[in-house]
Amino acid sequence: MEELEFGGELEKKTAVVEQVIRRYLPGDDGGYAKKIREAMCYSMEAGGKRLRPLLMYESYHLYGGESAIVEPFMAAIEMIHTHSLIHDDLPAIDNDALRRGKPTTHAVYGEPMALLAGDALLNYAYETAFQAFLYTYGREDAEEEDGRIVEALRTLGEKTGIHGMLAGQSVDVENEKSGHLSIDRDLLDYIYEYKTSKLIEAPLQIGAILAGADKSDVFCMNDLGKKIGLAFQIQDDILDVTGDEEELGKPIRSDERNEKTTYVTLLGVDGAREKVESLTRQAVELLETVPGDTAFLIWLVKKLAARTK
Ligand code: GRG
């Protein structure tokens, strides 16, 4: 019953998120730079779970947000995420040929254009997020909401740059191909917290900030993102070994090929599963302390722990 009810809710909410994202994609302006726009949209339109904008949408509404200022931020976080996937798949990093069930951007448009399309998406994410001010512009009572937008922009930058995702990715790259078990648990946790969790913390936190939640609630969303993010990455490690390439839409055994230390190489599949389950329990316990209707989010967190794609 719960599966049916929340499964349907997930479908509806993902469709809303999808519409928002597509509304903010760059269109064809009839100019010479057609290819880069096409390459940007190719990966954005290839699908994906849309988890990050969905989490932002949930957190925004959980804390009572009612305006459209969240929408450009939802599109922006998906653009940043997609930029990271395009660059991560490049021959210089993971050298993967399949993403979201389709040939990777560099496989279709060539390496130089994929590099540029990734850069352009990262930049366009901020151009898009700034559009939130268009919803408050000229309003007499805009000051408070503008303050929230500024704080959300600051958070977006912090979580994705050298204090966030890119810090994690840089340490990951630095330690790659140094052989299994060359990284200890502390270093691996650092990489996962920064490379993956920061981009899950960001939408949960930004949703709460934009809705005008208290500082303690914003911290709570951050904490939640840390737990969900780590569980999500460890499940990714597991799926790289046990998953199905067609269902995942990306190659399996990529970690082995790149000689990466993962939770599976450190703890084995069963040990990694136990860790996902324990982090998921902690995330659910945290959500149970949050006032408001968190039933769907709790279901989603559990669903992510059992995901097969
Ligand atoms: C900027 C090059 C660069 C990298 C940043 C995020 C990241 C670091 C690299 C992307 C590849 C990767 C393994 C990231 C870890 C997080 C993760 C499992 C991403 C995949 O996210 P999903 O499963 O993808 O939500 P979809 O396609 O569903 O959106």
Side-chain angles (χ1 to χ4, degrees), residues 69-83:
I69 55 167
V70 72
E71 294 182 354
F73 279 94
M74 286 163 63
I77 196 83
E78 188 67 14
M79 287 173 196
I80 294 175
H81 167 57
T82 305
H83 123 85

Side-chain angles (χ1 to χ4, degrees), residues 59-113:
S59 148
Y60 184 67
H61 290 103
L62 183 62
Y63 290 105
E66 286 177 341
S67 96
I69 55 167
V70 72
E71 294 182 354
F73 279 94
M74 286 163 63
I77 196 83
E78 188 67 14
M79 287 173 196
I80 294 175
H81 167 57
T82 305
H83 123 85
S84 80
L85 301 180
I86 294 174
H87 279 186
D88 196 63
D89 289 335
L90 284 169
I93 305 192
D94 274 2
N95 195 19
D96 281 326
L98 196 69
R99 171 71 69 180
R100 293 175 162 172
K102 293 192 168 164
T104 41
T105 306
H106 67 86
V108 177
Y109 292 92
E111 223 179 308
M113 190 55 84

Side-chain angles (χ1 to χ4, degrees), residues 25-26 34-45 79 82 86 105 109 113 116-125:
L25 289 180
K34 193 179 163 71
K35 219 23 140 204
I36 194 167
R37 289 159 183 260
E38 205 182 293
M40 287 163 80
C41 293
Y42 170 73
S43 190
M44 285 294 292
E45 288 172 345
M79 287 173 196
T82 305
I86 294 174
T105 306
Y109 292 92
M113 190 55 84
L116 292 177
D119 285 346
L121 270 177
L122 179 58
N123 196 76
Y124 201 65

Side-chain angles (χ1 to χ4, degrees), residues 125-136:
Y126 289 94
E127 291 181 55
T128 302
F130 271 102
Q131 289 189 44
F133 287 115
L134 297 178
Y135 290 104
T136 61

Side-chain angles (χ1 to χ4, degrees), residues 48-52 78 81 83-85 87-88 93 99-100 165-166 169 195-196 232-233 236 250 307:
K49 293 179 285 297
R50 309 307 197 193
L51 175 65
R52 293 149 192 85
E78 188 67 14
H81 167 57
H83 123 85
S84 80
L85 301 180
H87 279 186
D88 196 63
I93 305 192
R99 171 71 69 180
R100 293 175 162 172
M165 179 179 75
L166 281 165
Q169 178 69 3
K195 175 178 94 165
T196 307
F232 189 81
Q233 181 57 58
D236 200 65
K250 63 178 183 178
R307 74 190 168 97

Side-chain angles (χ1 to χ4, degrees), residues 277-299:
E277 279 158 22
S278 122
L279 284 160
T280 302
R281 264 196 310 276
Q282 292 171 35
V284 169
E285 278 165 19
L286 192 62
L287 274 169
E288 282 168 349
T289 67
V290 174
D293 185 1
T294 55
F296 173 75
L297 259 178
I298 289 177
W299 173 83

